[in-house]
Amino acid sequence: MSSMAAAIQCRDLRKTYDGKVEAVRGLNLEIQAGECFGLLGPNGAGKTTTIEILEGLLEPTSGEVFILGHTWRENEREMREWLGISLQETRLSEKLTVRETVELFASFYREPRSSDEVLHELQLTEKADSWVGKLSGGQKQRLAVATALVCNPKILFLDEPTTGLDPQSRRQLWDIIRAFQRKGGTVLLTTHYMDEAERLCDRLAIVDHGQIIAEGSPSDLIERLGGHHVVEFSVTGNSDGAALEAWRKLPSVESAREDDGLVALNVQELHLAIPALLDEVKRQESELLSLTTRQASLEDVFVRLTGRHLREQ
Amino acid sequence: MSIAEPIPPAELKAKPPASPAKRNRRWAGYTHLLMARMKELKREPEVIFWVFVFPLLLAFGLGIAFRNKPADAPPVVIVAGPRAQDAVALLEHSPQPGAFKIQVQDADTALRGFRLGKYDLVIEPDAQGGFQYRYDPARPESTLARAQVDDALQTASGRHDVLETKAVTSSDPGSRYIDFLIPGLLGMNLMNSGMWGIGFALVDMRQRKLLKRFVGTPMRRGDFLLALLSSRLVLMLIEIGLLLTLGVVVFHMKVMGSLFSIVLLGSAGAVAFGGIGLLTASRAQKIESVSGLMNLVMMPMWIFSGVFFSYERFPAMIQPLIKALPLTALNDALRASILEGRPLSHQWPRLLVLILWGGISFVLAVRWFRWT
Ligand SMILES: Nc1ncnc2c1ncn2[C@@H]1O[C@H](COP(=O)(O)OP(=O)(O)OP(=O)(O)O)[C@@H](O)[C@H]1O
Ligand SMILES: [Mg+2]
């Protein structure tokens, strides 16, 4: 119980399923109250395993978890009052109405919020009397969040809340999450959408193979990538390892990688890199087929980090 | 952070009047769980059919098929020949004329009809002036027809009985097949709906990760199980009411025991099978696996527990085992109570069997239960 301020804290978290699948391998997190924190990672990275351990639904193989300074072993009943949870895949009862479902969840808490208010906030008022089975995917996701919000939680855990939603529904959920945060709530969410993490999270951790491979604010991470710009181009002729090495040596280029004939460079100063690039193309006696430049995004951070990681394996 | 927000945040729109924060009382969770469960059941047409309509149809169908009617006159056939008419005359002059349906046919037709079950007995006049019976000892009605025909022929030919005997008939309500059947169906129904209603529901919720979601709230797990069991008790009341009403109204069954004792036995049964259902479903992750398991558990009881016929026919050696089955105990207790009005104080061994089954399964189930 070191820092009273931390909303969620875990140390050296490990989870091994059936003695062989190492889903989480030594994870440390410290999330402050009022923060929106994202766990970003590919399928099977261990996001769900991590979040369910933090939620006290899964026993870790080793490691410690503190929620607002309390541990699950000592204080489970009380801690449940503070958390709003939405699991990755819960199928709520299809034959209950939206309102009945929210009221059922509300009934488990000592001092829940009014169901109508929550339904209104999640724009489900119109659907309040429809059966859950009749809702669209996006409405179901919002209902799942409603069951989490109705308890008036201090901390909201959302496991891939926007997977499978159209852009419009995703924005709606983002608004809801921000509104919760503005009222002082803490949010931990998992996602594999870079743009979602970039827009929503104050800080995030990129998880791969059960470990955090990078952590910080989105702009921090992009900064650390070593270049704000990405130059993508393709040229005629074979591109091999030697060619890639030549691109990397160009001035102001931080790193280079190749995907399917498309070369991507992380660049600090475009005005230095582009002329040099054109010279190099000429020197190689090949032709430039395409060239685009753009701002670096988390996607680039991710590809760069996990790319290197995957190549090592 | 770059934020594009074409949609205004919900909270800026008109809000409904904020209702004061409410405080939930101790049993709010339980009541909501029970109500939700009852609503779900009510909205599930299959449940209504299997739990309520199907047993009624079964009772109705079997009740009609096995309703007591005056025993049919056994159809017998006499092989055509010179002395066929003698046999007809003798049978018609027997003490109960009309006791048989008599036909005279040539030998081939008679034998074919007998093989097909059209006749119970073939009577062939023989060369010595007597008769030869052809019957099938494996068919009770054939054996019976033989005895009755023989009796009739002998008496009509002048036999005198040396021993004075008398017979009285008994087909009062209470001893008919339908009377035997209804309590058995009630027991079986309590087993089926208890096992499915609890076991199936739990595995379904586990598979849907709903159990895990519930465990993520401060819901009391005991309340959850209690609500599930309570919903069974409510259904049990309806099941008993419907089947007994059918028996009384349609089949003029007499209910001898008090309604209170019947309901109490029904509750003991519902609790016992609820516990067994809970145990069966305590770990299964998939509906398919629990279905197989549940049929495996119920199979011996469908066969041995005397639902459709008395278990007294099974070898004496396995009788103690049969009596230890919960459905046997429930059926016996329901029959004793409904048909004979036996007071509960005489039923304690059966109640004990039910309570032990329910209690032990419940304790084991709670220990092994997987919420996730
Ligand atoms: N109950 C389980 N038993 C055995 N292995 C499991 C179990 N649950 C997860 N795993 C394994 O642990 C690893 C991490 O899974 P996890 O569900 O935490 O990943 P995730 O990051 O949430 O993935 P996704 O983005 O697909 O949801 C995977 O390799 C998965 O196969
Ligand atoms: Mg996951």
Side-chain angles (χ1 to χ4, degrees):
Chain A
M1 269 183 244
S2 51
S3 83
M4 284 305 290
I8 304 169
Q9 192 183 16
C10 70
R11 285 197 213 118
D12 198 26
L13 212 56
R14 285 170 197 278
K15 177 71 185 180
T16 310
Y17 286 110
D18 314 319
K20 42 181 196 287
V21 185
E22 290 185 72
V24 178
R25 306 192 284 182
L27 212 119
N28 296 292
L29 282 176
E30 187 164 325
I31 299 164
Q32 303 306 325
E35 248 186 328
C36 178
F37 193 94
L39 287 178
L40 185 68
N43 289 130
K47 304 183 296 294
T48 298
T49 307
T50 305
I51 205 169
E52 288 190 355
I53 292 174
L54 298 177
E55 288 162 350
L57 294 175
L58 204 60
E59 194 68 27
T61 307
S62 68
E64 288 174 297
V65 174
F66 299 99
I67 303 292
L68 294 166
H70 296 259
T71 63
W72 284 110
R73 215 164 300 113
E74 287 157 13
N75 226 343
E76 169 158 5
R77 182 74 187 39
E78 194 58 32
M79 286 157 77
R80 293 262 167 247
E81 298 275 351
W82 307 332
L83 306 190
I85 290 177
S86 157
L87 299 176
Q88 186 170 358
E89 38 180 272
T90 303
R91 299 213 308 283
L92 296 164
S93 300
E94 308 224 318
K95 298 275 160 91
L96 291 180
T97 68
V98 168
R99 180 179 286 112
E100 284 161 357
T101 304
V102 173
E103 281 175 353
L104 175 63
F105 278 90
S107 75
F108 301 144
Y109 295 85
R110 244 179 259 134
E111 285 181 45
R113 295 176 56 192
S114 126
S115 305
D116 284 333
E117 200 181 290
V118 174
L119 288 179
H120 176 80
E121 201 171 297
L122 298 205
Q123 297 167 29
L124 283 167
T125 310
E126 273 168 52
K127 290 281 166 188
D129 296 315
S130 316
W131 287 5
V132 174
K134 301 264 153 79
L135 296 184
S136 74
Q139 290 162 341
K140 277 187 188 145
Q141 294 274 46
R142 267 185 278 151
L143 175 59
V145 177
T147 63
L149 281 178
V150 76
C151 65
N152 202 7
K154 294 194 204 319
I155 306 176
L156 196 55
F157 287 92
L158 304 172
D159 197 355
E160 298 196 14
T162 62
T163 300
L165 299 190
D166 61 27
Q168 161 104 356
S169 310
R170 288 174 66 200
R171 290 232 170 75
Q172 283 178 355
L173 256 180
W174 293 350
D175 289 338
I176 289 155
I177 295 168
R178 278 199 209 102
F180 173 76
Q181 201 194 352
R182 230 170 309 167
K183 282 187 257 167
T186 310
V187 183
L188 174 59
L189 59 84
T190 73
T191 180
H192 27 222
Y193 296 121
M194 308 300 153
D195 58 337
E196 181 163 295
E198 217 170 318
R199 285 170 184 220
L200 207 50
C201 300
D202 303 319
R203 279 197 311 137
L204 52 94
I206 298 180
V207 184
D208 197 32
H209 297 291
Q211 285 171 318
I212 293 178
I213 52 175
E215 189 180 342
S217 71
S219 50
D220 257 5
L221 288 172
I222 294 169
E223 188 92 18
R224 245 188 281 163
L225 177 68
H228 279 279
H229 304 279
V230 176
V231 177
E232 286 172 329
F233 65 94
S234 54
V235 291
T236 55
N238 277 347
S239 51
D240 47 19
L244 206 58
E245 201 46 42
W247 305 129
R248 207 194 312 273
K249 285 194 179 126
L250 295 177
S252 196
V253 169
E254 287 290 324
S255 67
R257 60 173 191 275
E258 200 214 310
D259 255 352
D260 232 359
L262 193 69
V263 181
L265 308 178
N266 290 313
V267 173
Q268 268 173 342
E269 308 278 355
L270 278 181
H271 67 272
L272 294 179
I274 298 279
L277 169 63
L278 295 176
D279 288 347
E280 178 65 18
V281 171
K282 203 172 288 168
R283 199 189 61 76
Q284 288 185 8
E285 295 180 341
S286 48
E287 259 173 61
L288 199 59
L289 296 174
S290 69
L291 183 138
T292 54
T293 72
R294 57 178 170 80
Q295 294 280 306
S297 71
L298 269 183
E299 187 89 41
D300 301 297
V301 180
F302 186 76
V303 171
R304 187 173 165 195
L305 290 171
T306 57
R308 188 171 63 211
H309 194 86
L310 285 174
R311 236 168 285 153
E312 280 167 7
Q313 295 241 317
Chain B
M1 273 200 293
S2 57
I3 300 171
E5 264 178 320
I7 302 153
E11 56 182 343
L12 296 184
K13 290 188 196 163
K15 254 188 192 177
S19 29
K22 62 173 177 188
R23 273 191 82 90
N24 275 318
R25 292 171 185 281
R26 163 66 183 87
W27 292 100
Y30 166 81
T31 345
H32 277 80
L33 281 165
L34 177 58
M35 277 180 346
R37 185 90 196 111
M38 296 311 297
K39 280 179 192 152
E40 268 185 280
L41 289 173
K42 203 176 73 192
R43 292 168 191 175
E44 199 78 65
E46 294 95 319
V47 172
I48 309 267
F49 178 79
W50 288 110
V51 176
F52 300 129
V53 182
F54 181 69
L56 285 183
L57 287 179
L58 202 59
F60 197 73
L62 289 171
I64 298 283
F66 293 95
R67 75 185 180 282
N68 292 54
K69 47 189 180 200
D72 281 333
V76 300
V77 63
I78 300 168
V79 176
R83 291 187 44 240
Q85 285 313 313
D86 291 1
V88 176
L90 278 175
L91 283 177
E92 275 172 357
H93 287 100
S94 74
Q96 299 118 9
F100 307 100
K101 273 193 236 152
I102 306 161
Q103 282 193 22
V104 179
Q105 298 284 5
D106 64 73
D108 274 356
T109 321
L111 286 178
R112 193 166 347 108
F114 176 71
R115 267 202 308 278
L116 295 177
K118 190 173 164 194
Y119 308 117
D120 286 350
L121 182 72
V122 183
I123 306 167
E124 292 169 76
D126 67 8
Q128 287 81 41
F131 297 100
Q132 179 188 308
Y133 305 125
R134 183 177 292 270
Y135 80 109
D136 179 356
R139 281 166 55 194
E141 65 279 13
S142 184
T143 313
L144 186 67
R146 192 204 128 208
Q148 286 176 328
V149 164
D150 192 49
D151 199 43
L153 288 177
Q154 301 286 3
T155 318
S157 309
R159 183 186 70 184
H160 284 283
D161 291 332
V162 286
L163 186 65
E164 189 87 1
T165 55
K166 246 190 251 162
V168 290
T169 57
S170 162
S171 52
D172 301 328
S175 61
R176 302 162 309 165
Y177 180 62
I178 186 73
D179 301 315
F180 178 84
L181 184 66
I182 292 235
L185 279 182
L186 191 53
M188 184 180 79
N189 199 33
L190 289 178
M191 171 173 84
N192 287 350
S193 49
M195 296 280 292
W196 288 110
I198 296 225
F200 195 83
L202 277 176
V203 177
D204 182 48
M205 285 192 231
R206 187 181 290 130
Q207 196 175 0
R208 280 158 47 207
K209 301 264 157 74
L210 189 56
L211 281 187
K212 191 186 234 180
R213 179 66 187 84
F214 280 156
V215 172
T217 72
M219 179 192 80
R220 285 165 219 260
R221 299 175 189 197
D223 284 8
F224 173 82
L225 295 178
L226 200 63
L228 206 56
L229 191 63
S230 312
S231 73
R232 279 298 310 141
L233 290 176
V234 175
L235 289 197
M236 181 271 306
L237 287 178
I238 308 178
E239 286 165 38
I240 290 186
L242 281 176
L243 264 174
L244 285 188
T245 310
L246 178 87
V248 170
V249 172
V250 178
F251 296 108
H252 309 292
M253 190 174 127
K254 274 209 190 84
V255 177
M256 308 298 285
S258 72
L259 219 48
F260 171 77
S261 58
I262 297 171
V263 165
L264 201 105
L265 289 173
S267 312
V271 170
F273 289 115
I276 298 172
L278 191 69
L279 180 60
T280 315
S282 58
R283 298 192 75 78
Q285 295 281 10
K286 292 240 155 58
I287 288 292
E288 294 80 26
S289 48
V290 82
S291 300
L293 210 55
M294 225 129 56
N295 283 330
L296 197 70
V297 171
M298 292 196 282
M299 182 76 78
M301 291 188 267
W302 284 328
I303 299 174
F304 293 113
S305 288
V307 174
F308 298 102
F309 53 87
S310 167
Y311 58 78
E312 305 289 348
R313 294 180 182 210
F314 289 107
M317 213 174 62
I318 59 168
Q319 291 287 336
L321 288 181
I322 292 180
K323 288 201 173 129
L325 293 174
L327 184 58
T328 317
L330 180 61
N331 282 347
D332 284 354
L334 283 172
R335 285 197 177 110
S337 189
I338 294 175
L339 304 180
E340 298 166 32
R342 193 91 58 82
L344 280 179
S345 51
H346 290 186
Q347 305 261 40
W348 63 264
R350 289 160 184 163
L351 275 173
L352 191 68
V353 169
L354 289 176
I355 291 168
L356 280 180
W357 273 100
I360 293 174
S361 334
F362 187 81
V363 170
L364 290 179
V366 168
R367 172 172 304 177
W368 287 335
F369 200 81
R370 262 219 313 244
W371 290 92
T372 53

